[in-house]
Amino acid sequence: MLPDQTAYITCRTATEVAAAIRNMVVRGAPAIGCAAAFGVVLGSSSKKAFDVLAASRPTAVNLFWALDRMKKAANPEAEAIAIFDEDLAANRAMGRHGAALMPKGARILTYCNTGALATSGHGTALGVVRTAFERDKTISVIACETRPYLQGARLTAWECVQEGIPCTLITDNMAGHLMSKGDVDLAIVGADRIAANGDTANKIGTYMVGVLARRHRLPFYVAAPTSTFDPKTADGSAIQIEERPAYEVTGYRGVRWAPEGVAVRNPAFDVTPAELISGIICEKGVVLEPNRERIAAILR
Ligand code: MRU
């Protein structure tokens, strides 16, 4: 409902939590993981609770990582709270590691929403921006609107406005033009799943930003906690990409602009190959020019 309205949805069962995840009430990889952990608690760790939560959305590995942890937990309530608290601590650590990479006065292009609304608080890529802004009030954000669901326009722009971080909203197809004019210093995005070789699934359109950043010799960083790393997936080709409903592409909030009967594709994520990524910022540090060996080393 943001940015027009703020509403809180109370979930009382695992099924309600799963529906909230599927319907994007809770979205963003780390927030999905946290919500799923609390969903298991609401569902008394039953098999049905695990099954319904696991079926909510396929791409963000944080969901399955959290469910795995909850399966092994002796005290599920304490474990869910630990998952939430650890995510917040990881975000703050990423903020510190990442802020050191932000040049003074940097104009930082972001994609999707990776802030407090996508995590337990602070944020991943937007958390880096937040920490950098605490240190240097001259940095600014260029937020891509992020078609079709508009997480950038609706959520990232809202978070920046709330915090007084200078933010300029652009449509996604303006990114290349701004880069070519020298109006962008670097790009930083979040992740939904990072394969063992560093290939990174994130919001649809991230790949395009990665290609453009390379073309314009701009740093392209990914910020994600280790809960987003998936060492069991060898490379990006094995990551399942969620396909979402056609109405997200053909219109918005009841307004339809595409003709009835047209075929639609709506993949919600894409994969940016590791070779386009300058560095992955996680709570343990920064993996520059990520590859299989460097990622395995930081996860050890
Ligand atoms: O479909 P969404 O809104 O859940 O997608 C969110 C993203 O792709 C984010 O960039 C990613 O989860 C990182 S959030 C810290």
Side-chain angles (χ1 to χ4, degrees):
M1 291 175 177
L2 286 169
D4 311 332
Q5 291 175 53
T6 306
Y8 290 85
I9 307 291
T10 304
C11 296
R12 295 198 166 79
T13 65
T15 304
E16 286 177 8
V17 174
I21 294 171
R22 184 172 311 109
N23 300 332
M24 310 284 273
V25 174
V26 179
R27 34 65 53 200
I32 291 171
C34 292
F38 288 109
V40 169
V41 178
L42 289 172
S44 309
S45 304
S46 65
K47 182 180 177 314
K48 186 183 160 215
F50 280 103
D51 288 350
V52 75
L53 288 160
S56 59
R57 288 188 79 189
T59 305
V61 77
N62 305 61
L63 170 68
F64 307 98
W65 169 88
L67 292 177
D68 269 358
R69 267 185 69 164
M70 293 303 291
K71 241 175 220 150
K72 294 177 198 142
N75 179 342
E77 199 171 324
E79 188 71 356
I81 292 168
I83 286 172
F84 183 88
D85 288 345
E86 286 169 28
D87 187 56
L88 190 54
N91 288 338
R92 293 203 190 284
M94 278 185 277
R96 289 190 294 276
H97 298 309
L101 297 168
M102 303 293 114
K104 190 159 172 46
R107 297 156 301 171
I108 305 169
L109 185 131
T110 67
Y111 205 81
C112 196
N113 172 262
T114 60
L117 292 165
T119 60
S120 63
H122 198 67
T124 58
L126 201 60
V128 169
V129 170
R130 268 199 173 101
T131 304
F133 185 69
E134 281 162 19
R135 298 175 185 180
D136 169 15
K137 298 291 179 225
T138 67
I139 69 149
S140 57
V141 170
I142 298 157
C144 295
E145 69 171 350
T146 318
R147 280 275 292 147
Y149 211 77
L150 305 176
Q151 288 92 332
R154 293 161 71 185
L155 308 179
T156 300
W158 183 81
E159 286 198 44
C160 287
V161 168
Q162 296 294 308
E163 299 222 357
I165 302 173
C167 177
T168 302
L169 178 65
I170 61 169
T171 63
D172 306 330
N173 52 1
M174 297 173 187
H177 176 69
L178 264 63
M179 287 182 186
S180 76
K181 293 284 170 197
D183 292 344
V184 177
D185 296 306
L186 62 100
I188 183 165
V189 301
D192 290 85
R193 192 185 290 239
I194 300 173
N197 71 339
D199 290 352
T200 294
N202 191 49
K203 181 50 52 194
I204 189 76
T206 302
Y207 171 46
M208 173 183 77
V209 175
V211 170
L212 286 170
R214 176 57 54 93
R215 158 84 184 161
H216 296 286
R217 298 191 173 83
L218 299 174
F220 177 85
Y221 295 113
V222 170
T226 49
S227 54
T228 303
F229 288 66
D230 180 12
K232 288 192 218 120
T233 294
D235 61 47
S237 67
I239 298 175
Q240 190 187 339
I241 302 293
E242 176 185 12
E243 288 271 347
R244 292 192 58 85
Y247 64 74
E248 292 178 359
V249 174
T250 54
Y252 182 71
R253 287 190 177 164
V255 179
R256 191 183 166 105
W257 49 68
E260 296 286 351
V262 71
V264 172
R265 286 289 310 273
N266 188 13
F269 301 94
D270 59 24
V271 174
T272 303
E275 62 177 288
L276 296 179
I277 300 172
S278 313
I280 301 180
I281 302 155
C282 71
E283 72 273 28
K284 293 177 158 193
V286 182
V287 187
L288 291 173
E289 292 176 17
N291 61 21
R292 203 174 296 281
E293 293 69 38
R294 292 184 189 130
I295 287 176
I298 201 143
L299 292 179
R300 264 200 280 278

